[in-house]
Amino acid sequence: MTATDRSIELITAAAQAAADRLAHDIIAYDVSDVLSITDAFLLASAPNDRQVKSIVDEIEERLNKELGAKPVRREGDRDARWILLDYVDIVVHVQHSEERVFYALERLWKDCPELPLPDDAVKTRGKAAEHAALTGADETDGELS
């Protein structure tokens, strides 16, 4: 089984929205072969809580406006360190950069195929490491793709 056309459409729109809000290290995985509850995961990160919330708000607004999709569940708003949007077909994880390194979701899903993303989203790869180097933050506990 592979991700449905609808899931890919949602992932693509969500990835573009995240890129437009300057998310870091956007990547999507087709998890349909290993999970029965959803088709795909989108992972993105940001260096601060305010930007995490801004990215999530943009994704939610864009998917609603362009595709008529609303999340069935939104978790993590209070701390804005890791916000999850569950659209049933896809699940979006937007994490603070520190949480992204600590939890390393990429390691959990590395055996799943990556889904193609818009060029703007692909260009975000490595941005968290760039930001950390510029600000002197230490991100040696994990790796980002």
Side-chain angles (χ1 to χ4, degrees):
M1 190 163 137
T2 59
T4 64
D5 290 341
R6 175 66 172 171
S7 297
I8 292 169
E9 180 181 39
L10 291 167
I11 285 286
T12 301
Q16 185 61 56
D20 290 348
R21 286 287 184 224
L22 307 177
H24 296 168
D25 299 304
I26 302 168
I27 192 165
Y29 293 102
D30 180 341
V31 296
S32 60
D33 283 341
V34 293
L35 291 177
S36 59
I37 57 170
T38 192
D39 282 349
F41 280 165
L42 180 74
L43 309 177
S45 55
N48 61 63
D49 303 351
R50 183 180 297 166
Q51 191 174 357
V52 167
K53 187 156 178 19
S54 174
I55 292 164
V56 169
D57 290 345
E58 181 66 19
I59 291 169
E60 194 169 7
E61 184 178 323
R62 182 105 35 114
L63 293 185
N64 187 19
K65 187 183 291 183
E66 293 178 6
L67 302 172
K70 292 182 179 180
V72 295
R73 192 172 77 221
R74 179 175 171 152
E75 294 182 3
D77 267 330
R78 187 170 5 141
D79 295 329
R81 301 284 295 178
W82 179 351
I83 299 178
L84 178 143
L85 295 174
D86 183 351
Y87 285 90
V88 179
D89 294 327
I90 71 166
V91 175
V92 176
H93 299 268
V94 182
Q95 298 174 296
H96 188 287
S97 297
E98 293 169 359
E99 264 67 16
R100 179 88 178 259
V101 169
F102 183 79
Y103 289 102
L105 295 179
E106 288 89 346
R107 279 191 240 150
L108 291 173
W109 305 109
K110 69 181 177 202
D111 294 333
C112 296
E114 277 187 46
L115 291 170
L117 296 176
D119 287 341
D120 290 344
V122 173
K123 289 176 187 173
T124 67
R125 306 276 171 88
K127 292 290 184 187
E130 265 179 49
H131 184 268
L134 289 172
T135 61
D138 182 17
E139 294 203 21
T140 57
D141 292 338
E143 58 185 62
L144 299 175
S145 3

